[in-house]
Amino acid sequence: MIAVYKKELKSYFYTPGAYIFMGAFLLIAGLLFSLQNVFAGDSNYAGFLSSLIFIFLLVVPILTMKLFTEEKRQKTDILLLSSPVSIIGIVLGKYLAAVTVFAATLLITMLYPLFLSFHGRMDWAQIWGTYIGFFFLGSAFIAIGTFLSEVAESQTSAAILTFCGLLASWIIDYIISFVPTSSMAGAIFILILAGAAIAVFQSKAQDWRISAAAAVIAIAAVCILYIVTPDMLYGLISKFIAWFSLTSRFQRFSMGILKLDAVIYYLSFSAFFLYVTGSRIENRRWS
Amino acid sequence: MIQVEHLTKKFGRIVAVDDISFRIKKGEIIGFLGPNGAGKSTTMNILTGCISASEGKALINGIDILEEPAKVKKMIGYLPENPPLYGEMTAKEFLHTVCDLKNIPKPVRKDEINRVMKRVGIVDVSGRLIRNLSKGYKQRVGLAQAMIGKPPIMILDEPTVGLDPGQIIGIRNLINDLGRDHTVILSSHILSEVQAVCERVMIIAKGKIIASDTPENLSQHLFGSNRLFVSVAAETAAVEKTVKSIPDIIEYQIEEGEEIGAVSVKMKAAENTDIRKAVFSAFAAANQPLLMMRPIDMSLEEIFLDLTSAEVEL
């Protein structure tokens, strides 16, 4: 894993990748900082960091788009696969290299609050909280990007896919307020999810009897739930969608609250995407 | 050393490798020969653990590649069809990265890289970006990559593709050299190459091994010296008459010869029959002077075409 990590980090700095990422991010961040904090004479640095999320969303694809697509194009994936490194090691090495470039960039922006601290009093707890939150949020973004880079065939498509994916996770918070919240809607939603799961099972296992039985059980279970405890189904869709909202969990960090559940959420979110990436590579070997 | 049993690989409905089994002893240089798409690269990819077999197993030194991939991968140096090179690195940096990947201990790393670079002859270009190197040098850097760590087995997929004749000879010598202390498997669709380097040839077509022997045996065993080429100073019609009078000849072909006034004849007798004496006496009796007579050695090329096209007819 360390070998892949070192190699990936090298190639970030041997190619324009890291410089474009850092340059673009720091340029916009610097501009925003000057306008929002310096010229306005505002010492609310955490607010500035929160507004950086959107910019970060724009530049993450630059960081992750080449992770796997470039290996595929140069046919160097064979080198990694034929060397004594595990697939999880490959994925993790690449992911951590991208996270390192991101963390280094974040470290540079720490000059800003340092600069502000000469001129006013800073709420350091809040700033540290926001930075930690930002780091975990960014790592989760990078995990999505890593996964999509494995899925895509070219750097361009990887970048576009990643951008759309991150944008979707960002607007989830807005979507939530528009989805229906009634118990009936929740019941229908569960049935749709169950239907999709059964369809996937059917296409893999090709066994009608089990699928039909599962469908009957699912319908019965939902009916019972609906009759016995309709409250449980209330607002289910928005709760479900909220699981995927990366940014909503960030809010607490920017208030200076370090909550373990949010950290675990981000870590497991990243772990999930890295796991899926690894199993996709593994699957490709078998098919 | 390498033991492959009933290996099959399917890509969806396409059977790329179809139930092949073979054994390779230590120190052998083996050539996989076959047309494009015959399953050579797929077999190599399975042996190196890049892809998994659908059925069957491959043992390297008695260890199953599926069970202990890391152990097996350490024993193999692999040069795929497209040498896997990071264009943004210099040759030396790239080899350092390969050392990292192969867990070569730090203290011996520098010596190892120097040894390999000297052996493939890339010391002069070691500081240049791989991206800017010529195809021949890229191929050599790829070969250097496979040699790092002295793996006992080298698997080379079309190692001389895209090289100029001088470079091809260089690589061949290198492979011959490697054969002294490595087991080498190489693939090619160029027959003369396999003939020049390999001790044993496996002809692969449509995912199956259709012949496996030394290059010499392949040309002799299968076709013997029952085919002759003669050049005769006589009229075509007269020569044809003489040829027809010789028993045992199954097939013949008469052409205007290159020399003026001469006719050249290619003839073929039944297997394991030596017709040289009969041919000589027949022409002598007809008073048609033989200017030249030589056996037609079937080249690997012909054997190959013969075997593979026979397969197609089936």
Side-chain angles (χ1 to χ4, degrees), chain B residues 90-128:
Chain B
T90 66
K92 205 168 186 177
E93 280 164 351
F94 173 69
L95 292 177
H96 267 289
T97 300
V98 174
C99 282
D100 262 346
L101 286 170
K102 292 190 178 180
N103 281 327
I104 308 295
K106 275 252 162 67
V108 295
R109 199 168 283 187
K110 213 167 184 180
D111 295 336
E112 179 65 12
I113 290 174
N114 284 334
R115 176 188 76 89
V116 168
M117 287 203 303
K118 249 181 227 156
R119 203 147 176 203
V120 298
I122 52 167
V123 179
D124 305 341
V125 298
S126 65
R128 283 173 55 189

Side-chain angles (χ1 to χ4, degrees), chain B residues 40-61:
Chain B
K40 295 170 299 198
S41 296
T42 308
T43 309
M44 290 184 151
N45 275 335
I46 295 173
L47 284 180
T48 51
C50 290
I51 57 173
S52 314
S54 313
E55 282 159 49
K57 57 180 175 180
L59 302 175
I60 313 278
N61 271 349

Side-chain angles (χ1 to χ4, degrees), chain A residues 26-210:
Chain A
L26 290 174
L27 175 73
I28 306 174
L31 275 174
L32 270 182
F33 175 69
S34 308
L35 295 173
Q36 224 172 312
N37 292 101
V38 181
F39 295 144
D42 185 359
S43 71
N44 179 12
Y45 186 70
F48 155 75
L49 267 186
S50 307
S51 61
L52 267 190
I53 291 182
F54 185 68
I55 295 146
F56 185 60
L57 206 130
L58 293 172
V59 290
V60 162
I62 302 174
L63 198 60
T64 57
M65 63 183 183
K66 73 171 195 78
L67 282 178
F68 285 97
T69 49
E70 192 61 11
E71 302 269 358
K72 281 189 239 174
R73 192 184 64 80
Q74 290 194 332
K75 311 253 178 205
T76 42
D77 43 349
I78 291 187
L79 179 71
L80 298 180
L81 287 176
S82 66
S83 62
V85 181
S86 65
I87 288 178
I88 278 299
I90 296 172
V91 177
L92 217 55
K94 283 177 170 290
Y95 169 71
L96 289 179
V99 170
T100 306
V101 175
F102 160 59
T105 319
L106 218 52
L107 217 61
I108 297 174
T109 65
M110 284 188 178
L111 289 173
Y112 303 163
L114 201 68
F115 170 74
L116 281 184
S117 71
F118 295 142
H119 303 281
R121 281 187 50 200
M122 307 289 294
D123 185 346
W124 285 106
Q126 198 187 12
I127 290 172
W128 281 115
T130 317
Y131 262 116
I132 293 169
F134 204 105
F135 174 75
F136 282 114
L137 176 68
S139 307
F141 279 173
I142 291 170
I144 299 179
T146 308
F147 169 67
L148 291 172
S149 154
E150 208 289 323
V151 174
E153 280 303 319
S154 76
Q155 289 202 28
T156 327
S157 56
I160 293 170
L161 273 177
T162 309
F163 179 67
C164 292
L166 295 182
L167 204 61
S169 85
W170 192 62
I171 57 172
I172 273 179
D173 296 340
Y174 300 96
I175 297 174
I176 286 173
S177 49
F178 294 107
V179 294
T181 51
S182 70
S183 301
M184 190 61 186
I188 293 170
F189 182 66
I190 292 186
L191 284 180
I192 292 172
L193 279 189
I198 291 168
V200 169
F201 172 79
Q202 173 62 24
S203 71
K204 295 255 186 219
Q206 306 279 350
D207 192 335
W208 273 111
R209 274 168 294 175
I210 297 176

Side-chain angles (χ1 to χ4, degrees), chain B residues 255-272:
Chain B
E255 278 166 14
E256 204 57 39
E258 282 160 23
E259 277 180 80
I260 296 164
V263 177
S264 50
V265 190
K266 283 180 190 165
M267 51 188 94
K268 187 180 166 189
E271 252 171 75
N272 297 324

